[in-house]
Amino acid sequence: MSDTETTTTRAPDAPHPLRWTVLGLLGLAQLMLILDITVVAIALPDMGADLDLDRAALTWVVSGYALTFGSLMLLGGRAADLFGPKQVILTGLAVFTAASLAAGLATGAPLLLSARIAQGAGAAMLSPAALSVVVRLFDGDERNRALGIWSALGGGGAALGVLLGGLITAGPGWAWVFFVNVPVGLVVLVALARILPGLPRAATGSLDIPGAALVAAATGALIYALIRAGDHGWLNIVTVALIVAAAAGYTVFALWQLRATAPLMDLRLLGRRPVVAGTFVIAVTTALMVGAFFLGSFYLQNRQGHGALMTGVLFLPVALLTMAAAATAGRVIGRLGARLLAVVALAVAAAGFLLPVLWSGTAVMVTGVSVAAAGLGALFVVASATALATVAPHEAGVTSGIVSTFHEFGASAGAAAVSSAAATSIAAHTGTGTGFDDAFLVATGMAAASAVIVLWLIPAKQQ
């Protein structure tokens, strides 16, 4: 659709009539991207046995997707600003769907890993562009409600992936964790092509390819360092080298942005307090959420002896509470304000993480992680609403890319941190679980400290 075909573009006094339907379709597409991380993780043992994959290859089945997804999202967000979000969304969804089919048909590591990288590239186009559409189609309290729904799907998707991964792997087989994306992706693609409004380009200029390459390389190096730290430690020479390389890459990127005629992003965005606050909250929230998922999964299987499918069933209340809390937060954030909601939500998360430290057992673990998830579900809304509330239309895509990138930073850092803290209990498979206690105490302290930080960081009037 050309830029002149924008008769359905939202105006403040005339919201798009199909905006909620568009949100539902975009949310379903986003849910696929989130599910594709944990649903695949559950299928890895069967996948490895069928395709004769070694441990390194299995690791890259997960990491390859996460690395590509995380490192290209800033580029995807900028592309949405330059070329229009509709074109970027449809292209990203088509790439993700085709790559899912290729992954399901894979008979060995080369095709499977290539397909996973292509899935990550498609997801990196789709996710920030879709979030920028949500920001541009909705205003005021409606935007908060829409972000609540968006956050509910993203926050609950990881936990739902455990259940779906177990069901699919035990049923039709591991290939269907990829095949299931194909009919869903095609239906959403056709529907969005028909009803997604052709929002006009929000920015002019050309795509900053050198800047995109620099930030992708730096982000990829940092995410890989965070993933690697979980297995090899934070002081491992390769991990440290990757972090140094990432820092150098970001420095060169910043210098290039100051010189480029059409920079990938306006660096002044990172100096805005709401954007900084939102990205901090999304990173902390995702780190704690992934930590809760990681710890809960290993605790239930290694210490309590539950199978993968039962573990998935036990995670169902975690997913439901995450979604319910996010949807509720979207309705009340306008009245309470982002700062108060963030402090309360982090306090709830800290209390939930503390429960498994004080008592042991399956019921306490599920209760504690579910309580923590309720707080974290609300925080996803706070993060998006805070970072995106004051951005101009021409900044919506790239700011969404920043938020989405920090989402991946948090996920990688959270998994690395808790796996290091709980290393003794995870490696032992059984035992006293003191490593789990240490890791849950780390999560409790992180949530409590973050509550103090957001009390200062989030602007008082930011909603």
Side-chain angles (χ1 to χ4, degrees):
M1 180 179 289
S2 70
D3 288 348
T4 60
E5 298 176 88
T6 58
T7 57
T8 58
T9 300
R10 173 185 57 84
D13 57 343
H16 192 277
L18 296 178
R19 62 195 181 283
W20 293 106
T21 303
V22 169
L23 175 64
L25 290 169
L26 292 176
L28 182 57
Q30 175 72 3
L31 182 61
M32 280 200 306
L33 310 186
I34 302 300
L35 283 173
D36 216 58
I37 298 174
T38 49
V39 75
V40 169
I42 299 300
L44 286 178
D46 284 25
M47 198 181 300
D50 282 358
L51 300 183
D52 193 27
L53 304 178
D54 58 19
R55 180 181 174 278
L58 287 174
T59 300
W60 278 104
V61 170
V62 176
S63 300
Y65 177 75
L67 275 172
T68 313
F69 192 178
S71 61
L72 295 179
M73 276 194 288
L74 194 57
L75 177 62
R78 179 59 175 168
D81 289 338
L82 287 175
F83 308 124
K86 180 172 183 175
Q87 288 78 359
V88 177
I89 288 170
L90 296 181
T91 301
L93 183 54
V95 170
F96 181 85
T97 303
S100 296
L101 177 62
L105 294 173
T107 56
L111 178 56
L112 179 61
L113 296 181
S114 297
R116 288 294 281 167
I117 290 171
Q119 277 188 308
M125 287 187 279
L126 171 58
S127 186
L131 182 55
S132 74
V133 168
V134 176
V135 174
R136 293 176 65 182
L137 279 185
F138 295 90
D139 271 323
D141 286 340
E142 273 202 348
R143 179 188 286 180
N144 291 331
R145 288 174 56 201
L147 289 174
I149 295 170
W150 181 267
S151 301
L153 294 172
L160 282 177
V162 183
L163 175 59
L164 292 177
L167 290 172
I168 293 172
T169 305
W174 66 264
W176 282 90
V177 302
F178 299 115
F179 286 149
V180 74
N181 292 331
V182 178
V184 177
L186 289 175
V187 169
V188 174
L189 183 64
V190 171
L192 285 176
R194 290 176 61 86
I195 72 168
L196 185 63
L199 296 173
R201 294 182 178 93
T204 58
S206 58
L207 197 60
D208 178 15
I209 299 300
L214 283 168
V215 77
T219 303
L222 183 55
I223 291 177
Y224 184 39
L226 296 173
I227 293 171
R228 184 182 173 83
D231 289 329
H232 301 281
W234 296 95
L235 297 180
N236 174 267
I237 187 170
V238 177
T239 302
V240 173
L242 285 167
I243 293 174
V244 171
Y250 283 126
T251 301
V252 175
F253 168 72
L255 293 174
W256 172 254
Q257 294 306 282
L258 296 175
R259 296 184 55 189
T261 54
L264 184 66
M265 65 175 291
D266 184 351
L267 293 179
R268 289 175 295 182
L269 276 174
L270 299 179
R272 296 183 189 175
R273 190 171 172 185
V275 175
V276 173
T279 53
F280 172 79
V281 173
I282 196 66
V284 168
T285 303
T286 312
L288 290 172
M289 177 63 80
V290 171
F293 162 77
F294 191 96
L295 289 173
S297 180
F298 274 100
Y299 182 93
L300 292 172
Q301 293 184 76
N302 289 5
R303 190 176 180 190
Q304 298 299 318
H306 297 295
L309 184 56
M310 178 54 70
T311 298
V313 172
L314 290 171
F315 263 88
L316 188 57
V318 176
L320 294 176
L321 273 173
T322 302
M323 293 180 173
T328 301
R331 291 193 295 269
V332 304
I333 189 172
R335 295 194 298 272
L336 297 181
R339 184 161 69 174
L340 176 59
L341 184 57
V343 172
V344 171
L346 283 163
V348 169
F353 285 126
L354 190 59
L355 284 178
V357 179
L358 301 176
W359 299 280
S360 61
T362 297
V364 174
M365 168 62 67
V366 173
T367 300
V369 173
S370 297
V371 170
L376 298 175
L379 287 169
F380 281 112
V381 181
V382 171
S384 298
T386 302
L388 297 166
T390 60
V391 298
H394 71 277
E395 300 167 328
V398 73
T399 307
S400 297
I402 294 171
V403 172
S404 300
T405 300
F406 274 84
H407 183 285
E408 293 305 303
F409 282 160
S412 302
V418 298
S419 64
S420 298
T424 55
S425 293
I426 292 172
H429 295 284
T430 58
T432 62
T434 55
F436 290 119
D437 290 346
D438 292 343
F440 275 110
L441 277 175
V442 169
T444 302
M446 185 175 174
S450 297
V452 176
I453 293 172
V454 299
L455 188 61
W456 163 77
L457 186 59
I458 296 179
K461 295 182 180 180
Q462 181 67 35
Q463 298 184 356

